[in-house]
Structure formats: C-alpha cells, structure tokens
Amino acid sequence: MLNMLLSQVLDLMTPVLLAAMAGALCERAGVFNIALEGKMLVGAFVAVATSVAFGSPVLAVLSAVLCTAIFASPLALGGARLGGDPIVIGIGLNLLASGLTTYLLGAIFGVTGTLVDPAVTALPRFGVAALADVPVVGAILGHNVLVYLSWLLVLVFNIYLFRTPWGLRLRGIGEVPSAAAAMGANVSRYQTAIVVLAGGLCGLAGAQLALGSVALFAENMTAGRGWIAVVAVMLGRAHPLGIALACLGFGLADAVGLRLQGQGLPNQITDIAPYAITLLAMIGLGLRGMKKKMKSV
C-alpha cells in the first residue's frame, strides 16, 4: 500500500516539479514567469498529437520540448529583450494556449473534450522486478524516464545555481541586473535563453502529464497545475530543493485525494485537495510577509 501511494505521488508531482524548475530558472534570471500553465498545455497537446502521427513516445517528447520552447518566444522577446511586462505577456500566453489547443483539437482530430486514440503511446516505465516489493525502493524504481529526469534536474540545477560561476552570474542578473551589466554580462541575452529553456522544460511537464500515467489529451487538462508550480517556486524561494519539497507535498495531496475518491467520496471534493493546500500555502506566505513587515517597523 505504501509503495503504491508513493509511486502515485511521484507520478503526480513530476509535471508540477518540471514546470516549477522552469519557473525557478526564470525567477533567478529576473523574469516572473506565470505562463507555465499555458506552456504545459501546449506541451501536452503536441506530445499526444505527435504520438498519434508517428507512434513514438521519444519523438512525442522531443516535439513537445521544441514546440513549447518556440511558444515561449513571445515572453523571451517581449519580456527580456523589448522590456514588456512579463505578467501581461504570460497571461496572454495562457489564454492563447487554452484557446489554441481547443481549436486544434477539433480542427485536426475532429473531436471535442478528450482525445483518446489507440495510436497514442504512453511513456514506458523502467524498474527492477526483483525490487518491486521492497518498501519505498520499489516505488521509486518503477517510473518512466521523465520522473527520474525531474529529480536529476533538481540536483543539476542546484549545483548550477549555487556551485558554478555561471549560476552566480545568472543570480546576479536576476538580483541586480545593472551591476551584472556593468561587469560585462549581456542581461537580455541571458534572460532570453533562460525563458526559452524554461519553455522546453514545460514541454517535458506537458509530455509527462499527457503520456505519463495516461495516454490522452483533454481540453485544459493541466487544470491549474501550472499555477501550482508558480506557488511552488514561491514556497521554495526559487531554490531547487525547496521547490522539490513543495511539489512533493502537492503530489501527496493529489494522491490522497484520488484515493479518497476511490473510497466513495465525491470527486468534486477530492479534486480540490491540492488547490486547498496551495491556498493555505499562499495564506501562510502572506502572513509571514506581514510579520516581517511588522518587525521591521
């Protein structure tokens, strides 16, 4: 039972974790990225559409990464190079993604609501049969490559941001861009590259959402996970390890909600579990900020 719960938690948290890593990189670069929801949705649609066309999960993932990186270009160019408001651009991208994927779903596949096709191939899982029944270990070793990659990226980004000169430069650009520019760093170029890279990470998140535990695409199937990723960045203070812990909590809430649904509770109640946790977390952040202000007065 523990293995099944933990395995489900890891599956459910992976899309949020990948998107939150994208948000953290943008935050460190000084670009507030709230377009995670829309980019995840585009990645999910492209992954399923490519899988239908070619039947290859590898090609589906690569296509999702490429298309979401391209989809992120308005934020990269408008927010980083042209000085536009990243929040306005991000909201526009979220709305565009919702409308565009719904339109393409009908225009290309002639369906509304949900696309279920036998040609859609889910991502294969890799595990060790001999360790499948070992508590905790068995649950960790029975996932697709994107789940393992998400945790590897947490480690890689942690080292990159805090143990390398390039990470130090990136953090300097996000904190004091004028000082970084005076030291010779091309601020807009760094920010543009990071936003495009973040778009690719959201493509991985969308591919995991559509081809990880299920093999389908549904209209607005991200269902607020991109916004949960934004909150995870805030809770984790844009630190990879802190974000991972926040996403683990969200994944646990989601998994518990699904299990309660299996016990007969209405899905309307169980579905709100991760969002209730998100709301409580935001309230906690607000209260903590108020306390700091009161102490500084």
Side-chain angles (χ1 to χ4, degrees), residues 32 227-238 246 250 277-293:
F32 186 51
W227 296 106
I228 291 178
V230 172
V231 174
V233 175
M234 296 177 180
L235 286 177
R237 297 185 177 182
F250 294 134
I277 295 295
T278 302
L279 180 60
L280 291 174
M282 291 301 294
I283 293 173
L285 281 175
L287 292 176
R288 186 168 62 184
M290 289 177 62
K291 288 182 179 179
K292 288 183 177 180
K293 289 182 179 179

Side-chain angles (χ1 to χ4, degrees), residues 35-43 46 63-77 89-101 195-196 198-200 202-203:
L36 305 178
E37 177 87 358
K39 288 186 281 189
M40 283 178 65
L41 189 60
V42 169
V46 172
S63 298
V65 171
L66 177 61
C67 289
T68 49
I70 295 172
F71 187 75
S73 59
L75 180 60
L77 296 175
I89 298 172
I91 292 174
L93 288 177
N94 286 335
L95 295 174
L96 175 61
S98 178
L100 183 62
T101 53
V195 172
V196 172
C202 289

Side-chain angles (χ1 to χ4, degrees), residues 16-17 82 89 96 114 186 188 192-193 260 281 288 292 295:
V16 179
L17 179 58
L82 302 179
I89 298 172
L96 175 61
T114 303
N186 191 321
S188 63
T192 300
L260 291 176
R288 186 168 62 184
K292 288 183 177 180
K295 288 181 179 179

